[in-house]
Amino acid sequence: MRRPYRPSRRSHRTHGSRWTPRHRRVVLGALCLAVCPLGLPGALGTPAASAASPAARAPDRLVRVSSEVFRLAGEAGRARQRYETEVREVKEQTAGVRRVARQLRQQRIVSSALREDAGAAARAQYRTGGFTAAKAPAAASDDPVELLGSQSPAERRRELLAAALGETDRRSRELAAREQAAAASWPAAEEDLARLRAERRVADRRLAAARGRLDAMARAAIARGRCEPLDREKFTAAAGAYGPAAVDTAGAAEEAEWARPVLEYELSAGYGDSGASWARGHTGQDFAVPTGTPVRSVGAGTVVSAGCGGPFGISLVIRHAEGWYSQYAHLSASFVAPGDQVLPGQWIGLSGTTGNSTGPHLHFEIRTKPGYGSAVDPVAWLRARGVRL
């Protein structure tokens, strides 16, 4: 009688290793020792030190993007200046060509009149047989001196006509040469103008793209709840000649006790304005400026708060002497933090469009308290301190 087949436990042991829990722990430990030093992100649950998180990379990227805005703003400004200079030169050249053409027409009219006058004098001389005195003598005279005396004024007139005609012809030739030279240089001027116009457009597009990136980074910082100030030294090194170092030094040396919050601007919404954007009226003065414009402290003081979100977006409040406070809102980045001391004219941030904003601008307030609800007219306040907007 044949026995039924029963698999033996030992058969597995003879054809392979025994995978006990202890063996699995040893093998996994060996794999960890081999893989973890490679720095693979998330390998076996261990994050790699070289794989920095977006939040860790954000400050350096913000420095790079914001300094790029300054560099491109300088390039765009220079391109715009070169283009405007060329436009002025082309306009002056055009006006010069028209002026020369007008003078040439006038000279030709004068030349034509002189030629006609000279022709009339020559015909008169021919009819009188060479004697061109204004009035013929009443009786024949044997004195040749008397005859020559009566003819000398006519000869003098012919000499003057000939000299004037020669001068007008010379002037006409000179004007014609200038007109021809201006016409020859016109294509080159048009080509230069077109090239500078294209350079300006490229620079403006690159600047607009950089400003868009800075706005996006500001919104991302608010979404993370981490609106950290820019590293001033890194920003100055990256921005080069456009960095805040020179401006801060100038601000420290300013003789005036108070300064404008921005240097180049257009005033938009004013204090007390009403509209759908403000439930109880506008509480400050808006300065229409593009994203990345340097925002300056209006006076010496201490930074008491830095906002990161809400209606004012990225914002700063500075305490000044005699219990006054200034607020700077809708920024894209800041250079200072609470506790920092600032000077008149010192750069404290970059303008933007964070918070409740319909476009890039600086919202500036003067308050009697650090919080919202104690604002006064900032334009009148600055005017009383010698700063006119």
Side-chain angles (χ1 to χ4, degrees):
M1 181 175 179
R2 185 178 297 178
R3 294 180 180 180
Y5 173 76
R6 293 180 181 179
S8 174
R9 295 180 182 177
R10 294 176 178 267
S11 63
H12 296 285
R13 297 176 186 174
T14 58
H15 292 87
S17 302
R18 284 187 283 182
W19 290 91
T20 64
R22 179 175 176 274
H23 286 95
R24 283 195 293 270
R25 286 196 297 269
V26 171
V27 171
L28 288 176
L31 286 173
C32 183
L33 290 174
V35 174
C36 291
L38 297 178
L40 297 179
L44 299 178
T46 305
S50 60
S53 65
R57 293 193 302 267
D60 288 340
R61 183 166 178 261
L62 181 59
V63 168
R64 185 174 65 254
V65 172
S66 58
S67 61
E68 183 184 21
V69 169
F70 279 94
R71 180 177 58 81
L72 293 176
E75 292 180 4
R78 289 191 297 273
R80 193 176 302 111
Q81 186 177 11
R82 288 194 298 268
Y83 174 75
E84 292 174 353
T85 299
E86 185 68 20
V87 168
R88 287 194 298 268
E89 291 178 356
V90 168
K91 287 182 178 179
E92 291 175 0
Q93 184 177 359
T94 302
V97 169
R98 292 174 179 173
R99 184 168 55 252
V100 168
R102 184 170 58 253
Q103 293 174 351
L104 182 57
R105 288 194 300 270
Q106 293 173 350
Q107 286 295 324
R108 286 172 176 169
I109 293 173
V110 171
S111 178
S112 177
L114 289 175
R115 290 181 187 280
E116 184 178 351
D117 199 3
R123 289 191 296 272
Q125 184 177 12
Y126 175 78
R127 286 194 300 269
T128 59
F131 190 84
T132 56
K135 292 183 180 180
S141 174
D142 296 332
D143 188 356
V145 176
E146 181 180 354
L147 291 174
L148 291 175
S150 62
Q151 190 179 8
S152 60
E155 292 180 351
R156 177 60 177 164
R157 179 170 176 270
R158 287 197 301 273
E159 292 175 359
L160 293 175
L161 283 172
L165 186 58
E167 176 64 20
T168 56
D169 287 344
R170 184 194 65 77
R171 180 63 175 164
S172 295
R173 289 192 297 272
E174 178 184 339
L175 290 173
R178 288 175 56 187
E179 185 180 37
Q180 185 177 2
S185 64
W186 185 257
E190 285 286 343
E191 184 178 348
D192 289 343
L193 188 61
R195 176 179 55 81
L196 292 174
R197 185 185 299 114
E199 289 180 0
R200 186 197 64 175
R201 289 174 178 172
V202 170
D204 287 343
R205 283 197 298 268
R206 294 176 62 193
L207 177 59
R211 285 171 171 161
R213 288 192 291 271
L214 182 56
D215 283 332
M217 291 198 68
R219 291 192 296 269
I222 291 176
R224 293 193 307 268
R226 296 182 60 182
C227 302
E228 298 178 358
L230 287 167
D231 187 302
R232 185 178 297 271
E233 293 182 0
K234 290 183 178 180
F235 180 90
T236 302
Y242 306 105
V247 177
D248 287 346
T249 303
E254 277 193 19
E255 296 181 0
E257 185 179 359
W258 303 99
R260 296 181 180 89
V262 287
L263 292 178
E264 296 181 3
Y265 56 87
E266 289 185 9
L267 295 177
S268 50
Y271 178 79
D273 286 357
S274 59
S277 300
W278 312 293
R280 299 180 181 179
H282 195 224
T283 56
Q285 174 63 54
D286 285 353
F287 296 79
V289 290
T291 293
T293 299
V295 175
R296 315 189 310 160
S297 173
V298 295
T302 303
V303 180
V304 295
S305 67
C308 184
F312 293 116
I314 299 176
S315 61
L316 296 168
V317 175
I318 298 175
R319 181 179 64 244
H320 303 286
E322 299 180 358
W324 292 106
Y325 296 83
S326 59
Q327 188 211 27
Y328 313 80
H330 308 308
L331 305 177
S332 60
S334 65
F335 286 111
V336 294
D340 289 350
Q341 302 292 320
V342 296
L343 298 166
Q346 178 178 329
W347 289 12
I348 57 173
L350 305 177
S351 66
T353 182
T354 55
N356 293 345
S357 172
T358 58
H361 72 286
L362 168 68
H363 174 83
F364 173 70
E365 288 190 16
I366 293 294
R367 300 172 174 175
T368 58
K369 298 178 181 180
Y372 177 80
S374 60
V376 300
D377 186 348
V379 176
W381 189 89
L382 286 174
R383 186 187 305 118
R385 286 155 180 80
V387 180
R388 295 187 175 275
L389 302 177

